[in-house]
Amino acid sequence: MSDKIHAAGAPEPVGAYPHARRVGNLLFLSGVGPRRRGSDEVPGTTLDADGNLVDYDIEAQCVSCFENVRAVLESAGSSIDRVVDVLVFLTDMRRDFEAYNRVYARYFAGPGRANPARTTIEVARLPQGANAPIAIEVKVIATVGA
């Protein structure tokens, strides 16, 4: 048996899926992007007059992603320090990895942090949801409950 989690503080999913599913003491988050709740706004994104991507700030998108992850975790009774595995998708590894790694460390790495297992891969494209280009998506597994 599993419980579906719909987090009031996280951006609405762009498809037919919950924010997370709880199975026993494990919490499996669906892919989390950097969009802001209630809008298609993606922090750090610059669009031209026609709505086409001009540039993006990967650090701003990373912070937004990790804060959205935090919102889902806390809504489900877990927290960042209970994360055991992180899977990150970047659309431009060469351009973005160094900045992403710095932001990631503030949330997950080092003394007093979760230090979860991690995989980072480059993908050609991520789901956009309306007109909101994203350069990062995060998938997390965490513990919850006793």
Side-chain angles (χ1 to χ4, degrees):
M1 178 176 224
S2 67
D3 297 317
K4 295 178 186 173
I5 308 297
H6 296 279
E12 301 80 357
V14 294
Y17 54 87
H19 286 112
R21 302 264 329 234
R22 180 179 175 168
V23 180
N25 287 341
L26 291 176
L27 187 64
F28 299 85
L29 274 64
S30 297
V32 177
R35 281 184 311 106
R36 294 191 196 273
R37 180 164 183 82
S39 76
D40 289 327
E41 180 188 350
V42 176
T45 301
T46 305
L47 305 175
D48 67 17
D50 295 323
N52 299 307
L53 180 66
V54 174
D55 197 12
Y56 64 91
D57 177 345
I58 192 62
E59 289 191 39
Q61 286 198 25
C62 289
V63 168
S64 188
C65 264
F66 298 144
E67 288 301 321
N68 289 341
V69 165
R70 182 191 312 273
V72 174
L73 290 169
E74 291 177 356
S75 178
S78 189
S79 63
I80 287 279
D81 63 331
R82 298 190 75 177
V83 171
V84 295
D85 188 57
V86 179
L87 173 59
V88 176
F89 304 93
L90 295 174
T91 59
D92 191 336
M93 188 78 74
R94 178 175 290 157
R95 171 187 161 157
D96 298 335
F97 185 81
E98 185 178 327
Y100 143 73
N101 208 39
R102 276 194 312 274
V103 177
Y104 176 93
R106 294 195 314 240
Y107 285 84
F108 297 106
R113 304 264 193 250
N115 293 293
R118 180 180 92 174
T119 303
T120 305
I121 61 173
E122 182 177 73
V123 296
R125 184 173 299 131
L126 290 165
Q128 302 303 295
N131 192 17
I134 64 174
I136 180 173
E137 185 172 313
V138 181
K139 184 155 178 45
V140 169
I141 300 171
T143 60
V144 65

